[in-house]
Amino acid sequence: MYRYDEFDERFVRERVAQFRGQVERRLEGSLTEDEFKPLRLKNGLYLQLHAYMLRIAVPYGTLNSRQLRQLAHIAETYDKGYGHFTTRQNLQFNWPKLKDVPDILDLLADVEMHCIQTSGNCIRNVTADQFAGVAKDEVEDPRPTAELLRQWSSLHPEFVWLPRKFKIAVTGAEHDRAAIKVHDIGLKLKRNAAGEVGYEVIVGGGLGRTPMIGKVVRDFLPKEELLAYLEAIMRVYNSEGRRDNKYKARVKILVHETGEEEFRARVEEEYAKLDGPTINAPEEEVERIAAYFAPPAYEDLAEDSATLDGARASDPALDRFVEQNGFAHKQPGYIALTIALKEIGAVPGDMSADQMRAFADIAEKYSFDEFRVTHSQNLVLPHVKKDDLPAVYAALKEAGLASANAGLITDIIACPGLDYCALATAKSIPIAQDIAKTFADPDRQKAIGDLPIKISGCINACGHHHVGAIGILGLEKGGRENYQITIGGDATEHAALGERLGPGIDAGDVPGAIEAVVETYLAEKQGSESFIETVRRTGAEPFKAGFTAFIEARAAAQSEAAE
């Protein structure tokens, strides 16, 4: 893991002191809310529906136990005893008081954390594959790249007031687990024909009211040219991106309106003007950063574990957990584990202070004091010995963190929605809870298989509903909450936007509608096809028919009851 140097420490402490002064001026009235708003947003502080919300950066999703224990302390001292992990691999506190925020920032600085650039029209927290460094399909660990970008983008003097927020994601694997095609910039580490490692550069992806899949602007960029090339992209966007309409200010709109070929040409023209050697990171600095991500001190173990095999044979719950939440590790004798923050009936992504402390102990003892946050609002223990897995499972179970549903229909992404967000037009959390309860039977979940559901409470799409195998968008219609259902979305290397099934429905009808969609899948699937594979083969029509039949039956039942 990366550790702050003297510059990092001074940089963060000075920013905390600066913001403390700004908060004091706001509280005593010399700053109006309009004057204070851009200042607080630059420090990750939102004013939500009921209270302030503080968004904490978790660069490329990597944390250690000391940091999580500090987050638990903050949750208990300054919030309501829990935190909320987000699709940006960050953590949010939903109830801090303004007067306490500088103290929270000081506590975060004590453990090398901050809230800088987690909001505002700037380059946001850089995200990465949650299995970085351990995945067998990885060309190269993307975390050193993400850390380099963190340092390059933090208070970059040219890009602190962009037309709109800007998000970057990095993967080093063949299978995209970082959703790079729906980011403003997506980077994929790859090898060219000569075996050299570089980047595929994708620009112009994004969701929200105008969802788009990103376009490849460079098929192969040499590693050493990364910062200068990104600088060229950012300069084109900063100078040409729209500032007259915030709904059309993202780089995806610029790419779309300019045209893919013309945008690529403008980037290359700008790139040719830049003095690359003065922008790109020196080789020794790249090596210094990469050294922080050297593999931990793995033991020399056999691939198979008799201890684990025996425990799985005698404990069906453990066997199910390993099968569903385990991830193959490149190091023999080890496994990575997804910890799904999606207990049936719970709020997706929420974690209590007690759970944070328990999980910190587990990560410290069994995973080299490291864990990851995923963009699906879960956690990952990246380095667990297979021999230790029974003990890890027992500790997770005691903490209420042993749900064996990673990737299944109850592992739902949901934005905070109308329970918290001032922009939301409908609730998300109760919908997620109701769906999870509907499909609570573990055997039924297993029979359905992998089926990512993603829910947003407004068109801003913080729940990534556009790229859910089943997507749910909550809107307001005629004074009621109204939900649109889509299918066929995909956030992987096969990125696709979902197709709407029909008219919006009431909140109470959503679980039944999802059941109708699932039953259509089970009737239409061939062999071991997943939901998304079946949708790609059949198209949306069978699902639209099943959805329509459900709506008609529901309307008939309501009419009969009214009579």
Side-chain angles (χ1 to χ4, degrees):
M1 290 179 61
Y2 183 75
R3 294 287 185 270
Y4 279 9
D5 59 17
E6 291 182 3
F7 173 83
D8 293 309
E9 172 73 16
R10 185 175 67 252
F11 170 74
V12 172
R13 292 292 184 184
E14 288 176 353
R15 187 60 176 264
V16 173
Q18 180 189 63
F19 191 57
R20 184 179 292 277
Q22 293 165 351
V23 169
E24 289 171 353
R25 281 181 281 155
R26 174 69 187 114
L27 289 171
E28 58 90 12
S30 60
L31 279 178
T32 66
E33 171 54 27
D34 286 344
E35 293 168 331
F36 181 59
K37 181 177 179 179
L39 303 175
R40 63 171 169 79
L41 288 178
K42 290 294 183 183
N43 290 277
L45 187 63
Y46 286 76
L47 186 56
Q48 294 283 70
L49 194 60
H50 307 294
Y52 283 100
M53 179 271 282
L54 184 65
R55 181 179 292 151
I56 299 164
V58 183
Y60 36 92
T62 299
L63 285 170
N64 62 33
S65 300
R66 178 169 170 252
Q67 291 169 326
L68 188 59
R69 291 188 184 103
Q70 188 78 313
L71 293 172
H73 169 68
I74 293 169
E76 284 187 335
T77 307
Y78 298 105
D79 206 273
K80 293 190 176 184
Y82 68 95
H84 177 74
F85 289 101
T86 78
T87 55
R88 193 103 213 110
Q89 297 182 314
N90 291 323
L91 181 130
Q92 293 178 181
F93 287 122
N94 290 311
W95 302 98
K97 294 180 173 62
L98 179 57
K99 67 180 180 61
D100 294 329
V101 171
D103 292 336
I104 296 173
L105 297 181
D106 262 330
L107 289 170
L108 291 172
D110 288 343
V111 292
E112 302 179 16
M113 298 185 75
H114 62 75
C115 300
I116 299 168
Q117 293 184 199
T118 58
S119 182
N121 294 336
C122 56
I123 298 174
R124 302 286 187 88
N125 188 47
V126 178
T127 58
D129 183 353
Q130 66 266 27
F131 295 112
V134 308
K136 290 183 177 181
D137 65 338
E138 190 173 76
V139 171
E140 188 173 293
D141 190 336
R143 290 174 300 164
T145 294
E147 173 58 29
L148 178 65
L149 296 182
R150 181 193 72 84
Q151 296 187 26
W152 165 77
S153 63
S154 294
L155 299 191
H156 191 298
E158 193 171 353
F159 306 135
V160 292
W161 295 103
L162 294 169
R164 198 72 173 87
K165 59 186 176 181
F166 204 94
K167 299 177 181 180
I168 302 174
V170 193
T171 185
E174 192 60 36
H175 178 50
D176 179 13
R177 291 173 287 267
I180 62 172
K181 292 186 176 182
V182 289
H183 279 74
D184 297 288
I185 290 179
L187 299 173
K188 178 183 178 181
L189 283 149
K190 61 186 292 188
R191 294 187 186 277
N192 64 9
E196 301 164 320
V197 177
Y199 301 96
E200 179 181 84
V201 183
I202 299 167
V203 180
L207 302 178
R209 67 178 59 223
T210 312
M212 294 184 181
I213 304 299
K215 309 295 190 298
V216 176
V217 296
R218 261 293 185 108
D219 181 65
F220 186 84
L221 177 74
K223 279 188 70 177
E224 63 274 12
E225 299 179 29
L226 177 64
L227 295 188
Y229 196 77
L230 293 193
E231 195 119 333
I233 294 170
M234 299 302 301
R235 295 189 82 179
V236 171
Y237 170 55
N238 203 23
S239 63
E240 299 185 28
R242 294 183 61 171
R243 295 176 186 268
D244 61 321
N245 185 335
K246 71 176 183 178
Y247 302 119
K248 297 185 177 182
R250 299 291 292 269
V251 70
K252 63 186 177 183
I253 302 299
L254 178 61
V255 174
H256 176 72
E257 292 186 345
T258 303
E260 183 179 343
E261 293 300 324
E262 177 61 23
F263 180 82
R264 185 182 293 115
R266 292 185 190 183
V267 170
E268 294 293 341
E269 181 182 3
E270 184 65 35
Y271 181 56
K273 297 176 184 176
L274 296 176
D275 183 3
T278 66
I279 298 171
N280 291 314
E283 184 177 353
E284 58 271 21
E285 175 61 12
V286 174
E287 292 174 352
R288 182 190 76 84
I289 292 173
Y292 283 97
F293 300 96
Y298 295 124
E299 295 179 29
D300 187 10
L301 302 171
E303 176 60 35
D304 296 325
S305 165
T307 299
L308 176 58
D309 291 344
R312 292 182 69 175
S314 62
D315 185 351
L318 170 62
D319 183 62
R320 187 190 297 272
F321 178 80
V322 177
E323 180 182 3
Q324 192 60 44
N325 291 35
F327 181 86
H329 202 291
K330 67 169 70 173
Q331 180 69 22
Y334 286 80
I335 190 170
L337 292 174
T338 296
I339 313 305
L341 300 180
K342 314 286 176 59
E343 277 203 321
I344 302 301
V347 177
D350 274 13
M351 194 177 201
S352 72
D354 286 342
Q355 288 177 319
M356 290 181 191
R357 291 193 182 93
F359 190 74
D361 292 343
I362 294 168
E364 186 174 55
K365 185 174 182 180
Y366 296 110
S367 188
F368 294 97
D369 195 23
E370 180 185 349
F371 70 96
R372 315 277 175 79
V373 183
T374 82
H375 86 272
S376 55
Q377 297 175 291
N378 293 323
L379 304 179
V380 164
L381 292 170
H383 315 289
V384 177
K385 285 195 296 184
K386 291 180 179 178
D387 288 348
D388 289 336
L389 214 157
V392 171
Y393 176 72
L396 290 169
K397 190 174 180 180
E398 185 176 351
L401 295 169
S403 296
N405 62 342
L408 297 181
I409 193 169
T410 59
D411 182 12
I412 300 168
I413 290 177
C415 74
L418 202 53
D419 284 298
Y420 296 99
C421 183
L423 300 177
T425 50
K427 291 185 177 181
S428 297
I429 292 170
I431 302 299
Q433 293 170 316
D434 288 345
I435 294 172
K437 291 173 184 174
T438 300
F439 294 93
D441 180 0
D443 291 332
R444 191 180 184 200
Q445 293 182 52
K446 185 176 180 180
I448 295 168
D450 290 354
L451 205 174
I453 294 180
K454 305 182 181 184
I455 307 174
S456 299
C458 78
I459 57 175
N460 290 305
C462 294
H464 295 189
H465 66 277
H466 294 294
V467 288
I470 296 178
I472 302 172
L473 168 62
L475 299 169
E476 185 276 329
K477 184 177 180 180
R480 296 168 62 90
E481 294 177 33
N482 187 265
Y483 294 85
Q484 298 175 359
I485 313 295
T486 57
I487 62 165
D490 191 341
T492 72
E493 64 275 16
H494 307 296
L497 303 174
E499 182 175 347
R500 187 171 164 182
L501 290 181
I505 55 178
D506 290 340
D509 292 337
V510 173
I514 301 305
E515 281 199 288
V517 171
V518 168
E519 289 305 314
T520 301
Y521 157 60
L522 295 175
E524 293 286 340
K525 70 178 291 193
Q526 294 181 355
S528 60
E529 274 184 340
S530 68
F531 179 89
I532 193 67
E533 288 169 340
T534 299
V535 172
R536 287 181 186 140
R537 178 178 55 80
T538 67
E541 291 311 312
F543 295 90
K544 289 182 178 180
F547 178 76
T548 300
F550 165 77
I551 292 177
E552 291 174 349
R554 180 71 168 162
Q558 290 173 339
S559 176
E560 184 176 337
E563 293 175 0

